[in-house]
Amino acid sequence: MTTSDNKRQGRPKSEEKRQQILSAASCLFLSEGFANTSMDKVAKASGVSKQTVYSHFDNKDTLFQAAISAKCQSYQLDTSQLMEAGLKEMPFSTCMMHIGDLFIRLLQDPDTVAVFRILIAESGTNQHMAELFYDAGPHASLRYIADIIYTYGGGTISQPQCQQLANDFISLLKGDFHIMMLCGIQPILSDEEIQQHVLNAVEKIVVWFELYKNQ
């Protein structure tokens, strides 16, 4: 295969540029925070023109949300990826175990922890950043999990009930562990601890799921 063939079969140049910009922006958001990151800095850090940055992202808001979404998607926390993974063929409890494992690993990711800490530091003076983060991160994850639960419910559980179950599941997964980890009181969970932690949450959510199905 020739070099030109390799290039043709690789990712489109525009997609490569987008990922290049997104990677540079993510590093800047983590190192300098949302307020101190500008599109000029992103262009310089990514080695492209400011015009190129704007050709992929309308503004800093969309760029920030894209960075948050990309981190969630890297842990397969969106409906399309979960369905492509064949989870709908698994028993409900197995699916929830898989989702719970991914969710805890996302929470423990060093970049995720850093974003939460930046959010805490800046939210008092920058509510807009907090809203952007919530929409692209926690709220999106909540929707994705609710969609999965709705699929397993087969129409027997209403969408509001699925949203409530998803919210309860996330709350069970976070528990005290999440805030303690953010405060540096508790280290990240080991693989064995993650499994047990997720199992405790799944056992409860399966009971509630069956109750809703049989109402």
Side-chain angles (χ1 to χ4, degrees):
M1 185 179 291
T2 66
T3 302
S4 60
D5 288 335
N6 281 324
K7 288 182 179 179
R8 282 197 296 271
Q9 291 190 11
R11 289 186 301 174
K13 187 176 181 180
S14 59
E15 175 60 18
E16 291 179 358
K17 287 291 185 184
R18 184 181 186 278
Q19 293 302 320
Q20 186 176 328
I21 294 165
L22 195 56
S23 177
S26 297
C27 291
L28 283 171
F29 285 131
L30 290 174
S31 63
E32 302 193 19
F34 180 82
N36 292 326
T37 297
S38 67
M39 297 297 263
D40 284 325
K41 288 183 177 179
V42 171
K44 184 177 180 180
S46 56
V48 301
S49 68
K50 189 175 178 180
Q51 181 180 1
T52 300
V53 175
Y54 277 108
S55 71
H56 290 279
F57 302 96
D58 292 338
N59 48 50
K60 187 169 73 169
D61 288 1
T62 58
L63 181 53
F64 179 69
Q65 289 194 309
I68 299 300
S69 296
K71 175 57 70 174
C72 292
Q73 289 169 5
S74 72
Y75 283 86
Q76 297 185 330
L77 281 177
D78 72 47
T79 306
S80 60
Q81 287 178 302
L82 288 169
M83 288 304 187
E84 287 173 6
L87 294 187
K88 61 183 177 180
E89 305 300 328
M90 298 180 181
F92 179 69
S93 60
T94 304
C95 178
M96 290 295 102
M97 284 294 297
H98 182 77
I99 293 173
D101 181 89
L102 293 173
F103 189 79
I104 293 297
R105 294 183 189 281
L106 172 61
L107 289 183
Q108 294 190 158
D109 185 287
D111 288 349
T112 305
V113 173
V115 170
F116 268 108
R117 288 173 175 165
I118 290 170
L119 179 70
I120 292 169
E122 294 192 23
S123 60
T125 56
N126 194 345
Q127 184 179 349
H128 181 59
M129 175 204 174
E131 291 171 347
L132 291 172
F133 171 79
Y134 177 74
D135 286 342
H139 191 219
S141 295
L142 181 65
R143 288 200 314 272
Y144 298 146
I145 294 173
D147 286 345
I148 294 295
I149 294 173
Y150 185 77
T151 299
Y152 273 94
T156 62
I157 305 178
S158 69
Q159 289 184 334
Q161 288 174 323
C162 291
Q163 291 169 359
Q164 184 60 55
L165 283 173
N167 188 58
D168 291 340
F169 187 48
I170 288 176
S171 296
L172 288 168
L173 290 172
K174 285 184 173 181
D176 288 338
F177 145 76
H178 188 224
I179 188 64
M180 290 176 70
M181 183 187 65
L182 291 178
C183 293
I185 299 172
Q186 176 176 313
I188 63 173
L189 301 178
S190 66
D191 289 345
E192 294 77 13
E193 289 171 332
I194 290 175
Q195 185 177 26
Q196 186 58 55
H197 181 78
V198 174
L199 179 60
N200 291 338
V202 169
E203 287 177 342
K204 294 179 177 67
I205 211 67
V206 167
V207 171
W208 297 339
F209 176 78
E210 293 299 330
L211 284 174
Y212 278 132
K213 278 189 69 176
N214 297 321
Q215 282 182 348

